[in-house]
């Protein structure tokens, strides 16, 4: 398959980019990495499964194959005692993503994220953070990334440093820079999200916005504010959980049964319905959000809703829901057993007394 149009070219043409994220949660669910450390060890241990997941997401409508290097940085690998595999993990993740992107005519993005060592006003921590960004960006460049995604920064300072490193070491690759909106309406270093996004735009980020942390219902009001002040294309990739004004992030959600923190393992109690993901995506499209996707908790059935809301018809759309074919709830005369009406009443009223 031929080389596809680049990120900036598409955005300039007013086209949209659908992006599947959420690899960490997906593989944690499959028992392939640990909730807690959340390190993408699977890249080294079972690369074939990562490749398969990339293909799944493209099948569901992703325009981007995001190399699975999120939390695959020096500090995270140190925590689990696998720092000696750092470069192997990064190169393997990038090479696989490149290969899938080439085979499917999609884009490949390198991925850097919050380092967990960054501390504002601490020169040593800042130096350490810059080194983490530098090595991951350089590997992404060498392995042929089309652009770099820098994401889940709670401090504008760390996001700004990530952007500066992409400019410095990224050999001109475009940048997508996303902040994570935790409970308060400003970054941890006290800048409102619209203001922070504007500052990233002014510093030369090609796409700015928010990802992770909040669900569709609580990220949307912030995106509307950001839209008012930013001119560059915006990105929005929430988590598909039912966050509320009282519990605005997945970390603040309480399990409805126990009242305890649901993050991370009890979050399934709060998963969004597919219809609400679709309606949210339609709202984002109407708002003009060009770079759209889902983060932690994402799965192919959700991403297909986003892709279809954005006017796409990915291979997975062949199997999009068609209840007209159902033998009870459908309307096809050639598919109606004699008892279907009786059964429909029983099923929909749960009249089991
Ligand atoms: Zn996430």
């Amino acid at each position: 398959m031929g080389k596809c149009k680049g990120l900036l070219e598409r955005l300039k043409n007013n086209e949209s980019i659908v992006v599947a994220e959420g690899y960490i949660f997906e593989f944690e669910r499959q028992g392939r990495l640990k909730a807690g450390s959340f390190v993408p060890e699977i890249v080294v241990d079972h690369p074939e499964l990562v490749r398969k997941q990339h293909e799944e997401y493209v099948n569901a409508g992703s325009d981007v194959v995001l190399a699975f290097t999120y939390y695959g940085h020096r500090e995270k690998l140190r925590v689990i005692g696998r720092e000696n595999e750092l470069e192997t993990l990064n190169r393997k993740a990038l090479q696989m993503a490149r290969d899938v992107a080439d085979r499917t005519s999609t884009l490949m993005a390198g991925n850097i994220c919050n380092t967990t060592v960054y501390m504002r006003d601490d020169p040593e921590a800042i130096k350490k953070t810059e080194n983490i960004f530098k090595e991951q960006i350089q590997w992404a460049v060498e392995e042929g990334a089309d652009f770099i995604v820098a994401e889940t920064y709670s401090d504008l300072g760390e996001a700004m440093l990530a952007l500066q490193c992409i400019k410095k070491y990224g050999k001109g690759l475009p940048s997508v820079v996303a902040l994570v909106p935790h409970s308060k309406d400003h970054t941890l270093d006290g800048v409102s999200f619209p203001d922070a996004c504007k500052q990233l735009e002014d510093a030369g980020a090609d796409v700015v916005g928010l990802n992770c942390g909040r669900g569709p219902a609580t990220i949307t009001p912030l995106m509307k504010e950001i839209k008012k002040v930013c001119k560059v294309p915006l990105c929005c990739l929430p988590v598909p959980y039912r966050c509320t004004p009282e519990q605005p992030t997945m970390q603040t959600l309480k399990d409805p049964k126990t009242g305890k923190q649901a993050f991370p393992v009890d979050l399934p109690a709060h998963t969004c319905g597919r219809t609400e993901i679709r309606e949210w995506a339609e709202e984002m499209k109407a708002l003009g959000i060009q770079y759209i996707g889902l983060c932690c908790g994402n799965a192919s059935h959700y991403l297909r809703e986003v892709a279809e809301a954005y006017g796409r018809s990915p291979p997975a759309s062949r199997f999009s829901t068609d209840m007209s074919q159902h033998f009870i709830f459908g309307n096809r005369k050639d598919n109606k057993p004699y008892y279907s009406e009786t059964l429909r009443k029983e099923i929909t009223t749960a009249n089991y007394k």
Side-chain angles (χ1 to χ4, degrees):
M1 296 182 105
K3 183 97 182 112
C4 60
K5 263 195 289 177
L7 175 78
L8 297 184
E9 195 184 348
R10 283 200 229 179
L11 293 172
K12 204 177 272 177
N13 285 344
N14 256 335
E15 294 171 40
S16 57
I17 304 280
V18 176
V19 187
E21 292 209 21
Y23 289 93
I24 289 271
F25 271 31
E26 177 63 35
F27 285 123
E28 191 280 329
R29 264 199 300 262
Q30 294 178 25
R32 302 292 185 172
L33 60 82
K34 193 178 275 296
S37 55
F38 288 120
V39 182
E41 300 173 70
I42 186 174
V43 170
V44 178
D45 299 340
H46 289 286
E48 73 285 358
L49 298 180
V50 178
R51 173 183 291 273
K52 187 172 156 285
Q53 192 61 44
H54 287 322
E55 290 166 353
E56 285 293 318
Y57 280 155
V58 171
N59 186 65
S62 189
D63 296 315
V64 175
V65 179
L66 184 67
F68 190 24
T69 58
Y70 188 94
Y71 280 169
H73 57 60
R74 187 172 291 279
E75 172 60 14
K76 279 288 186 177
L77 285 164
R78 184 194 64 76
V79 168
I80 61 162
R82 296 185 75 166
E83 200 177 339
N84 60 337
E85 293 168 278
L86 174 70
E87 185 170 348
T88 307
L89 185 153
N90 276 268
R91 288 199 187 274
K92 204 181 264 278
L94 288 154
Q95 287 162 3
M96 258 192 303
R98 183 70 267 168
D99 188 53
V100 175
D102 287 341
R103 287 168 191 272
T104 56
S105 283
T106 49
L107 295 165
M108 190 277 262
N111 191 192
I112 59 172
C113 62
N114 59 309
T115 58
T116 73
V117 296
Y118 174 83
M119 280 173 73
R120 51 185 174 274
D121 308 324
D122 180 339
E124 205 175 307
I126 289 172
K127 189 76 215 145
K128 217 169 162 183
T129 304
E130 179 168 356
N131 282 338
I132 286 175
F133 291 152
K134 179 184 173 184
E135 59 193 1
Q136 280 197 299
I137 292 165
Q138 286 177 334
W139 289 322
V141 168
E142 286 166 22
E143 300 299 345
D146 295 309
F147 64 99
I148 306 283
V149 173
E151 61 178 351
T152 56
Y153 299 108
S154 17
D155 275 66
L156 173 61
E158 191 177 18
M160 207 51 105
L161 185 55
L163 175 60
Q164 284 159 4
C165 287
I166 296 171
K167 298 262 172 219
K168 200 162 160 190
Y169 308 111
K171 298 260 162 89
L173 287 183
S175 57
V176 174
V177 185
L179 298 157
V180 56
H182 286 303
S183 312
K184 302 262 174 56
D185 286 341
H186 53 75
T187 62
L188 279 192
D189 41 2
V191 186
S192 77
F193 287 110
D195 206 19
C197 286
K198 185 76 181 78
Q199 288 189 40
L200 289 165
E201 172 181 314
D202 292 343
D206 296 295
V207 177
V208 299
L210 306 175
N211 85 304
C212 208
R214 295 194 184 207
T218 50
I219 208 167
T220 299
L222 284 179
M223 289 309 300
K224 288 179 179 167
E225 293 306 309
I226 294 167
K227 184 72 186 162
K228 287 179 193 163
V229 299
C230 287
K231 290 191 182 67
V232 293
L234 299 183
C235 65
C236 181
L237 301 94
V239 295
Y241 298 110
R242 288 181 165 164
C243 298
T244 64
E246 296 73 37
Q247 298 173 13
T249 65
M250 67 173 169
Q251 289 85 0
T252 53
L253 284 171
K254 303 277 185 291
D255 186 304
K257 211 166 174 182
T258 63
K260 293 182 179 157
Q261 184 183 40
F263 178 86
V265 296
D266 295 322
L267 283 173
H270 295 280
T271 50
C272 287
R274 297 191 207 181
T275 308
E276 83 188 283
I277 292 295
R278 192 183 193 98
E279 287 172 359
W280 162 78
E282 284 165 357
E283 193 179 354
M284 289 298 100
K285 184 169 188 277
L287 186 63
I289 307 301
Q290 281 180 269
Y291 187 106
I292 193 77
L294 292 167
C295 203
C296 305
N298 181 32
S300 298
H301 62 302
Y302 284 135
L303 196 82
R304 182 178 62 190
E305 298 292 340
V306 175
E308 290 179 353
Y310 269 69
R312 310 299 175 78
S313 186
S317 291
R318 181 184 160 206
F319 298 108
S320 291
T321 307
D322 178 4
M323 287 298 284
S324 76
Q325 295 184 15
H326 194 272
F327 79 109
I328 299 170
F329 301 110
N331 52 15
R332 271 171 56 164
K333 289 204 169 60
D334 65 338
N335 187 26
K336 278 271 173 207
Y338 75 92
Y339 54 80
S340 63
E341 192 48 27
T342 314
L343 201 47
R344 188 188 63 77
K345 280 188 188 141
E346 286 288 332
I347 288 172
T348 55
T349 57
N351 186 17
Y352 293 126
K353 280 176 198 158

